[in-house]
Amino acid sequence: MQFTLKVWRQKSQSSKGAIETYHLSDISEDMSFLEMFDVLNDKLIRDKKDPIAFDHDCREGICGMCSMFINGEAHGPGRNVTTCQLHMRSFKDGDTIYVEPWRSSAFPIVKDLTVDRSAFDRIIQSGGYVSVNTSGATQDANAIPIPKEDADSAFDAATCIGCGACVATCKNSSAMLFVSAKVSQLSLLPQGQTEANNRVQRMVNQMDAEGFGNCTNTGACEVECPKGISLTNIARMNREFMKSSVG
Amino acid sequence: MALSGLFLCLFLVGHLLGNLQLFVSGQQGADNFNLYAKFMTTNPIVKVLSYLTYFSIIFHMVDGLILTIQNRRARPKKYVIEKGKANSSWASRNMALLGTILLVFIATHMQNFWYVMHFGEISHYEIKGQNVKDLHHVVMSFFTPTSNSYAAFMVGFYVLSMLALAYHLHHGFVSAFQSLGLNHIKYNKIIEIVGAGFSVVVPLLFASIPLYVFIKHYL
Ligand code: HEM
Ligand code: SF4
Ligand code: FES
């Protein structure tokens, strides 16, 4: 397959950046999008040019590193896939493909397609934890009965990999889907009750302090999320936030 | 945003029910409408509700403006290519634009009727000993081409504004329930259906009033 790639190149956070054009041929339809980038970088290195910086780690859809905004969509045209799990057969031979970094003031660009997502870490640090007894007499979690629906919902929320596609895709750069998943996975379980009120307040405050935008319920995040995190998590967090604000 | 928006939805229902009286023809219809208009400008409870409505519009507008400014700031650099329609509705991405159209409409609409009723030149007459202002006549002539040379333009403007309202509500109604956390897998379908119905029926009925007055002239 052949492609024309239009890739955002930016030397550093403060430099301006621009789209650059590359042509690639002999790409297999079974290659992942990142493997296609490996081929491109290999070519750039051989030509003594600066390779394109992009994040990746597991390449199996679980680490959430591979942030690429492809043809106007986070992680490209596929549904419920990360960039590393997107294959070139999802494109047509001869396509022009635009690749940009996540764009949000809370995710500053480090270089090219690499962004700094430590804002997410600070949100987790602000409240995404539970207190456990570490004295040795710790209660076995399996000894606490939990309704099946709650366990399922908590587990669904916990599948969020913190990739940031929700922020990247939201026209407001809102982090509500991520934060609501992280709030829900804990608040749905008995172990998460102790900090429930403080947690939602702290995490939402930290989210605002990081400069993420406000949710206007466009629903774009849910569509583009590689893990299918549901908007019901946002409604749940809104509920918890209001409850904890009044009492 | 959600509470003020939903309050404005309630206002719309009340306002619509009152205005639908304009479909009643004859002197009886005109009298009833004018008595109703008098009631609406003098009753103390209605006064309180009207101030609540003004407050809601202003609050909704200011809050919407703040949200929009913050949200633009959260993404200072736009994407070169953005495929919004792959993941969200047009209305949901253009609430501020639709709201601005509504604001222009509300200002024009208030000037057209509210201002005339309160401060403009308007004829009075007596119904069973009650002195009323003939707002009915003002409305009818406003949309009738022989008495207002801009009538066609105004009918067009009112109808297009109601189209904007339909889109604003198509997203807004459901959105408000999500913002308030008042939804649940079980009820989402119902909220969606009611929201879709509301956003079509209410603006359509509003739009039908100027259209009816305008077309009636040709019948
Ligand atoms: C008849 C009048 C109006 C009604 C019934 C109405 C209703 C609503 C509702 C129910 C929402 C959703 C609230 C939420 O998501 O929590 C909303 C959102 C919004 N409205 Fe209105 N509205 C009206 C007029 C206006 C006006 C005059 C403006 C601006 C000048 C405006 C601007 C906005 C904005 C910016 C949003 C939220 C942003 C978004 O969701 O993207 N609206 N409206
Ligand atoms: S909610 Fe979905 S899109 Fe957002 S960070 Fe989690 S996995 Fe990524
Ligand atoms: S590289 Fe780990 S999810 Fe894509």
Side-chain angles (χ1 to χ4, degrees):
Chain A
M1 297 178 95
Q2 290 194 13
F3 296 104
T4 303
L5 286 168
K6 303 243 177 202
V7 183
W8 186 262
R9 302 300 308 263
Q10 184 170 336
K11 280 207 163 55
S12 68
Q13 190 181 327
S14 50
S15 58
K16 213 166 156 281
I19 291 279
E20 286 203 19
T21 307
Y22 306 94
H23 296 282
L24 273 185
S25 45
D26 290 331
I27 295 294
S28 152
E29 59 173 21
D30 295 327
M31 276 183 188
S32 77
F33 203 82
L34 296 188
E35 282 164 341
M36 185 267 295
F37 257 74
D38 293 338
V39 172
L40 174 57
N41 271 349
D42 189 53
K43 194 171 150 213
L44 288 174
I45 293 166
R46 282 171 203 275
D47 294 347
K48 305 241 169 335
K49 289 190 184 133
D50 191 22
I52 302 164
F54 66 93
D55 263 331
H56 60 108
D57 188 14
C58 69
R59 297 209 177 194
E60 54 184 10
I62 51 173
C63 75
M65 286 299 284
C66 49
S67 48
M68 286 191 190
F69 203 78
I70 303 162
N71 277 351
E73 288 184 80
H75 297 299
R79 291 290 168 257
N80 297 317
V81 288
T82 50
T83 303
C84 58
Q85 300 278 289
L86 177 70
H87 292 93
M88 297 318 293
R89 55 180 172 269
S90 308
F91 298 88
K92 284 202 297 290
D93 194 18
D95 270 0
T96 298
I97 306 173
Y98 280 81
V99 189
E100 297 176 69
W102 285 175
R103 292 193 190 281
S104 157
S105 55
F107 288 165
I109 293 175
V110 178
K111 189 181 179 200
D112 299 336
L113 303 174
T114 319
V115 299
D116 177 357
R117 275 168 299 184
S118 45
F120 270 11
D121 300 334
R122 289 187 292 273
I123 294 174
I124 298 290
Q125 279 161 8
S126 72
Y129 51 81
V130 293
S131 300
V132 287
N133 178 356
T134 52
S135 66
T138 313
Q139 188 184 14
D140 179 5
N142 289 324
I144 308 170
I146 295 166
K148 168 107 170 76
E149 286 107 62
D150 291 357
D152 285 351
S153 302
F155 192 82
D156 285 347
T159 58
C160 164
I161 55 177
C163 64
C166 42
V167 174
T169 209
C170 173
K171 78 171 183 50
N172 312 319
S173 285
S174 164
M176 289 285 275
L177 195 64
F178 165 77
V179 179
S180 68
K182 297 299 169 194
V183 165
S184 292
Q185 75 183 37
L186 301 174
S187 72
L188 280 162
L189 300 176
Q191 292 92 330
Q193 293 318 306
T194 321
E195 289 98 353
N197 279 355
N198 284 338
R199 176 184 307 117
V200 65
Q201 290 285 334
R202 287 195 186 139
M203 290 178 78
V204 168
N205 287 340
Q206 188 63 35
M207 170 180 85
D208 290 341
E210 296 290 349
F212 291 105
N214 309 294
C215 177
T216 59
N217 306 322
T218 68
C221 53
E222 183 185 56
V223 175
E224 301 289 351
C225 170
K227 297 296 149 183
I229 300 293
S230 156
L231 291 179
T232 46
N233 289 298
I234 298 184
R236 182 184 296 110
M237 180 164 83
N238 287 341
R239 221 157 38 229
E240 285 206 13
F241 185 82
M242 280 181 276
K243 211 167 61 189
S244 66
S245 300
V246 293
Chain B
M1 211 72 232
L3 288 178
S4 56
L6 284 182
F7 181 78
L8 289 176
C9 287
L10 280 180
F11 155 75
L12 286 183
V13 175
H15 192 45
L16 178 62
L17 290 179
N19 286 1
L20 284 178
Q21 296 179 56
L22 288 165
F23 278 111
V24 183
S25 51
Q27 190 55 39
Q28 185 63 36
D31 287 353
N32 283 347
F33 182 79
N34 285 332
L35 283 170
Y36 162 76
K38 180 171 178 143
F39 172 78
M40 292 305 278
T41 44
T42 48
N43 184 288
I45 297 170
V46 176
K47 268 236 147 63
V48 173
L49 281 177
S50 73
Y51 284 120
L52 252 171
T53 308
Y54 302 145
F55 173 78
S56 295
I57 292 175
I58 292 167
F59 179 87
H60 190 81
M61 207 175 76
V62 172
D63 201 23
L65 187 70
I66 295 171
L67 280 183
T68 307
I69 291 171
Q70 285 178 342
N71 289 348
R72 297 247 155 112
R73 263 197 216 130
R75 174 160 304 142
K77 180 118 184 83
K78 296 262 166 287
Y79 288 104
V80 178
I81 304 280
E82 197 163 3
K83 211 188 263 170
K85 64 172 185 290
N87 51 39
S88 53
S89 70
W90 181 85
S92 76
R93 283 176 275 122
N94 291 282
M95 288 297 275
L97 171 71
L98 292 166
T100 309
I101 296 173
L102 290 179
L103 185 63
V104 172
F105 169 76
I106 293 170
T108 315
H109 180 56
M110 299 265 292
Q111 157 68 28
N112 296 157
F113 303 121
W114 179 86
Y115 180 83
V116 174
M117 181 72 180
H118 284 82
F119 310 110
E121 276 175 41
I122 184 164
S123 57
H124 294 241
Y125 73 110
E126 299 261 332
I127 307 171
K128 295 191 199 113
Q130 273 206 65
N131 191 294
V132 297
K133 293 182 179 177
D134 197 356
L135 186 64
H136 186 269
H137 176 72
V138 173
V139 175
M140 291 299 155
S141 50
F142 187 75
F143 294 119
T144 304
T146 39
S147 34
N148 178 3
S149 45
Y150 294 109
F153 174 79
M154 277 302 168
V155 171
F157 175 65
Y158 271 61
V159 171
L160 284 179
S161 300
M162 288 308 104
L163 190 67
L165 179 64
Y167 277 99
H168 195 77
L169 291 179
H170 193 79
H171 174 68
F173 192 93
V174 178
S175 173
F177 285 87
Q178 170 80 2
S179 296
L180 294 173
L182 285 178
N183 61 1
H184 189 276
I185 300 274
K186 271 191 222 150
Y187 319 123
N188 280 355
K189 255 284 65 87
I190 301 171
I191 296 173
E192 258 169 52
I193 292 167
V194 174
F198 190 89
S199 68
V200 172
V201 172
V202 171
L204 197 66
L205 286 175
F206 269 122
S208 69
I209 298 169
L211 272 176
Y212 165 75
V213 177
F214 187 78
I215 292 167
K216 200 170 66 165
H217 168 74
Y218 293 101
L219 297 181

